[in-house]
Amino acid sequence: MTNFSDDVISGVTRHMNGDHMADNLLIARAFGYPGATSSTMVGVTGASGRWLVTDAEGEHELTVEWPGGPITERPEIRREVVALYTAACAKLGVPARDEHGAQPQSDAADASVDAPAAAPEDRPFSVVIRESSWSDHSDSEGATFMEDIMRGKGSLQDYIDLVAQHYFMYEALEAAADQVAADPRFAGFHSPSLVRLPALEADLVHLIGADWREQIVAVPATLEYAARMREVAAEGWAAGVVAHHYTRYLGDLSGGQYIAKRVAKQHDLPSAGIAFYDFSELGDLAEFKHQYRAALDVLGEQLDEAERARMLDEVRAAYAFNTAVFRDLGQAKLAVA
């Protein structure tokens, strides 16, 4: 059986939990838990996908084999996930949308009925961005750092190391947001309720102590990631800042909700230890993400073809930086083992 690297697993689960929560729920209801109220993708192997499912009886881990049989290559994962979604729709009697169709997905469980497919050039920009991320997580050697955290196998130190990297990332990102705040094209993206630095500082005080600043270290990939965000902001490139803003915030307020729940339960952490993932000030998260994607669509209409392509490249770069951070964390963990 093929065991995909942490880069690939984190990329796929981040994408599914950020943009395809309704699909996750349909798969859970069709393949084991018809009363499921939530479903989060937590793992990928060459034989199957894995989800953590919640229903009235509690929390369950669901493993579903790929419809087409075992796979070995990263691009095959998307094919099999789409096949699973289609099979789930057929089993539940729900019309399946065209996976290359016109509408972005909502987070409601009944979001499976979309409008007829549009030509590629007519797709909303949010859909173009979402689909562009599928193939941008390269395979590599290394430990399954993020998968261990998501499956409750990581240590408390692993989680602390992750929080530290988030601090360096968001320090750069939120400074970048401030630098382009006056640009009208950025106006629809950065709500004050999104700001994460105060929550990260509270988490680090709780997890490490008052001297946390002297104890945390950025891994090389995090330093490069932060440097790139600062470079984009210094250029005054609002669309580039949005590219990083989108990949971080929407991922952390989507799949991050599962991470917070898992880590809090495993390590008996109060809200101070997982404050980073508390986006309650935003109100309804599904509605916030809907509005965010609408803002992406508006931005896409304001950019010419070359600028849209450049922004998509920056989204891919942001995903690559993110997975490189996980790889560096895994390697650092092995080095001290």
Side-chain angles (χ1 to χ4, degrees), residues 16-17 20-29 36-42 50-54 62 258:
M16 288 296 293
N17 297 330
H20 294 279
M21 289 297 283
D23 293 1
N24 288 336
L25 191 55
L26 285 170
I27 290 168
R29 289 176 175 175
T37 56
S38 69
S39 177
T40 303
M41 194 175 201
V42 297
R50 292 197 297 272
W51 286 262
L52 189 76
V53 181
T54 302
L62 171 68
Y258 167 73

Side-chain angles (χ1 to χ4, degrees), residues 173-219:
L173 178 57
E174 293 182 353
D178 288 343
Q179 285 184 257
V180 298
D183 192 314
R185 292 169 297 180
F186 191 68
F189 295 99
H190 196 64
S191 163
S193 297
L194 275 175
V195 174
R196 295 292 92 194
L197 275 182
L200 283 165
E201 291 172 355
D203 286 343
L204 289 165
V205 168
H206 177 80
L207 293 165
I208 298 176
D211 62 342
W212 61 268
R213 292 178 188 273
E214 287 71 48
Q215 295 195 47
I216 64 172
V217 177
V219 297

Side-chain angles (χ1 to χ4, degrees), residues 16-329:
M16 288 296 293
N17 297 330
D19 287 313
H20 294 279
M21 289 297 283
D23 293 1
N24 288 336
L25 191 55
L26 285 170
I27 290 168
R29 289 176 175 175
F31 296 105
Y33 297 96
T37 56
S38 69
S39 177
T40 303
M41 194 175 201
V42 297
V44 176
T45 72
S48 61
R50 292 197 297 272
W51 286 262
L52 189 76
V53 181
T54 302
D55 64 10
E57 297 181 0
E59 197 172 79
H60 319 273
E61 189 163 317
L62 171 68
T63 298
V64 186
E65 294 184 354
W66 301 127
I71 58 177
T72 58
E73 301 296 328
R74 168 65 181 86
E76 295 175 304
I77 299 174
R78 184 180 192 275
R79 181 195 69 201
E80 294 304 317
V81 169
V82 172
L84 260 187
Y85 160 76
T86 304
C89 289
K91 190 169 182 178
L92 296 172
V94 175
R97 72 181 185 282
D98 185 331
E99 192 61 20
H100 300 285
Q103 293 189 20
Q105 179 159 333
S106 76
D107 289 298
D110 60 354
S112 306
V113 184
D114 280 351
E121 62 272 15
D122 296 329
R123 289 178 299 165
F125 194 46
S126 59
V127 174
V128 176
I129 292 173
R130 185 184 72 204
E131 293 182 352
S132 76
S133 70
W134 264 102
S135 60
D136 297 308
H137 307 278
S138 60
D139 201 349
S140 68
E141 298 296 327
T144 57
F145 182 87
M146 198 62 195
E147 186 184 13
D148 286 347
I149 288 178
M150 294 183 72
R151 299 192 68 200
K153 295 182 178 180
S155 67
L156 179 59
Q157 187 59 52
D158 291 342
Y159 175 65
I160 292 171
D161 292 342
L162 178 64
V163 176
Q165 304 316 303
H166 281 156
Y167 176 80
F168 293 113
M169 293 174 195
Y170 277 90
E171 182 182 42
L173 178 57
E174 293 182 353
D178 288 343
Q179 285 184 257
V180 298
D183 192 314
R185 292 169 297 180
F186 191 68
F189 295 99
H190 196 64
S191 163
S193 297
L194 275 175
V195 174
R196 295 292 92 194
L197 275 182
L200 283 165
E201 291 172 355
D203 286 343
L204 289 165
V205 168
H206 177 80
L207 293 165
I208 298 176
D211 62 342
W212 61 268
R213 292 178 188 273
E214 287 71 48
Q215 295 195 47
I216 64 172
V217 177
V219 297
T222 298
L223 292 174
E224 294 175 8
Y225 193 0
R228 177 56 187 167
M229 287 189 272
R230 292 189 179 99
E231 180 182 358
V232 168
E235 182 185 339
W237 181 28
V241 174
V242 171
H244 290 278
H245 195 276
Y246 161 80
T247 56
R248 285 248 53 91
Y249 284 107
L250 257 64
D252 288 325
L253 67 83
S254 297
Q257 302 308 297
Y258 167 73
I259 294 174
K261 182 179 179 181
R262 171 63 86 181
V263 168
K265 181 178 180 181
Q266 180 187 3
H267 301 297
D268 193 25
L269 291 176
S271 58
I274 55 170
F276 169 70
Y277 296 105
D278 180 4
F279 289 91
S280 56
E281 288 187 12
L282 290 174
D284 187 316
L285 295 188
E287 177 59 24
F288 174 80
K289 286 185 279 187
H290 174 74
Q291 295 299 327
Y292 193 102
R293 292 182 180 116
L296 286 174
D297 295 338
V298 171
L299 176 62
E301 292 171 358
Q302 297 172 342
L303 304 177
D304 60 27
E305 184 176 351
E307 188 70 357
R308 283 163 62 104
R310 187 185 178 207
M311 181 177 167
L312 289 175
D313 285 343
E314 197 65 27
V315 169
R316 296 185 185 102
Y319 274 109
F321 278 123
N322 185 66
T323 53
V325 169
F326 295 150
R327 184 173 59 247
D328 278 4
L329 284 170

